[in-house]
Amino acid sequence: MIELWFAVIAFLWTGYFVLEGFDFGVGMLAPLVSRNAAEQRAGLETIGPVWDGNEVWLITAVGAMFAAFPAWYAGLFSTFYLPVVLVLAGLIVRGVGLEWRGKVTNPLWCDLGIVVGSAIPAFLWGAIFASLLFGGVAPALLGGAFSLAVCALHGAVFLALRTTGPVRRRARTVALAAGGVTIPVAVFALSGLGTAPALAAMAALAAATALIWRRREGWAFTATAGAIVLTTLAVFMELRVRPLPGLTLAEAASGPYTLTMLTWIGLITLPFILVYQGWTYWVFRKRIKVPA
C-alpha cells in the first residue's frame, strides 16, 4: 500500500506539472507574442477553459500526501513554508487576473498579475524540489531556473499549437528561443540526478526544439510534456529513497487501515477526475482563431 500511494502521489504531481506547466508558460508569454488586445485575449483563451481545472491536480496531490504520508506532508510544507505561501499568492494573483481581465476598463494590472502570478510558481516549484533533493541555495536557484525555462518552452509550444496567424508564428519563434535557453540549463540541472529518466528528459527537450523548428507543434508539445514527465519521474525516484532528510517512506506513511480506505476512495474518485479532464480537453481542442 505504501508503494502504491507513493506512485499515486507521483502521478498526481506529474499531472499537475504537465498541465499547469503550459498554463504558467502561456501566462508569462501571452504579452510577448501579442501586438494588440485581441491577440492577447486570443492567447489567454487557449487556457481559459482549463486553467482552474488543472489546479485540481495540485489540490488532489497535496490532499493525498496529507492523508497517506502525514509526516512527509508536515515536514515538506513546514520546511518550505515561505516559498509555498508565495506559490499560493502567485496562484491567487494569477486567478484574479484571469477572471477579472474581461470585466475591467483597463486590464493592464490584470495582465501584470497574470505574468507575475505565473512566473512565481513556475520558478518556486523547481526551487522547492531541487532544495529538497540537494539542499543549499545554488541548487534551488538552478532548479527554479530550470522549471521556469521548461514552463516557458512548454507554454510557447502550446500557444503555437492552439492559435493561428501572427500569434502562432511569434509563439514558434519564442519557443525556439526558449529551447535554446532550456537545453543548457537542463544539462546543469538534471546532471545531478544522473538517472536514465533525467537523461531522457534532456533528449526530449532537444527533440521538442527541433520539432518546433520543423513546425510540428503537436509532436513538440508531446516532447515537452514527456520531458516534464521524465523529470518528475527522476525526482520522485530520489524521493522514494528519502522523502525528507532522516525520514524513510515507511516512517512517513499512515497506518494500514487509513491506506486501505484511501485506496477505495481513490478507486472511486480518480477515474472521474481523469474522465472530466479528458472530456474538457476534447471539447476545447480546436485552435483559437486570432483576428486579422
Side-chain angles (χ1 to χ4, degrees), residues 184-205:
V185 173
V187 171
F188 286 103
L190 298 179
S191 59
L193 294 171
T195 58
L199 297 174
M202 298 182 207
L205 291 171

Side-chain angles (χ1 to χ4, degrees), residues 10-263:
F11 170 75
L12 293 171
W13 276 105
T14 301
Y16 172 69
F17 288 137
V18 170
L19 299 176
E20 277 281 79
F22 68 74
D23 282 352
F24 293 149
V26 171
M28 290 186 290
L29 297 175
L32 187 61
V33 300
S34 306
R35 296 295 181 267
N36 53 56
E39 290 183 355
Q40 185 159 348
R41 184 168 58 251
L44 293 175
E45 282 178 6
T46 61
I47 62 171
V50 298
W51 69 268
D52 49 353
N54 292 342
E55 290 185 353
V56 172
W57 288 79
L58 174 62
I59 298 169
T60 310
V62 173
M65 288 181 68
F66 173 77
F69 300 97
W72 185 21
Y73 167 89
L76 176 63
F77 290 103
S78 60
T79 302
F80 298 101
Y81 179 80
L82 180 57
V84 170
V85 168
L86 291 175
V87 166
L88 294 177
L91 294 176
I92 292 169
V93 169
R94 183 189 67 154
V96 171
L98 287 168
E99 291 291 340
W100 281 84
R101 191 178 186 279
K103 300 178 176 66
V104 296
T105 304
N106 183 6
L108 181 60
W109 69 270
C110 293
D111 293 338
L112 180 62
I114 294 169
V115 172
V116 174
S118 298
I120 288 175
F123 177 85
L124 286 177
W125 280 129
I128 288 170
F129 278 93
S131 182
L132 182 62
L133 289 178
F134 304 111
V137 176
L141 293 176
L142 182 59
F146 169 71
S147 62
L148 184 69
V150 170
C151 286
L153 175 59
H154 196 39
V157 172
F158 185 75
L159 276 170
L161 178 65
R162 291 296 316 282
T163 57
T164 62
V167 173
R168 182 185 180 189
R169 291 193 296 271
R170 294 187 205 110
R172 281 201 302 263
T173 302
V174 171
L176 288 171
V181 173
T182 304
I183 293 170
V185 173
V187 171
F188 286 103
L190 298 179
S191 59
L193 294 171
T195 58
L199 297 174
M202 298 182 207
L205 291 171
T209 305
L211 287 164
I212 199 68
W213 181 74
R214 298 190 64 181
R215 302 185 180 184
R216 300 289 185 89
E217 292 101 338
W219 284 109
F221 182 75
T222 302
T224 54
I228 296 172
V229 171
L230 290 164
T231 300
T232 310
L233 175 61
V235 169
F236 274 85
M237 285 172 60
E238 297 292 324
L239 293 177
R240 179 180 173 274
V241 178
R242 190 193 62 174
L244 285 173
L247 184 71
T248 66
L249 205 59
E251 292 169 341
S254 295
Y257 177 77
T258 301
L259 294 176
T260 301
M261 292 300 297
L262 284 174
T263 301

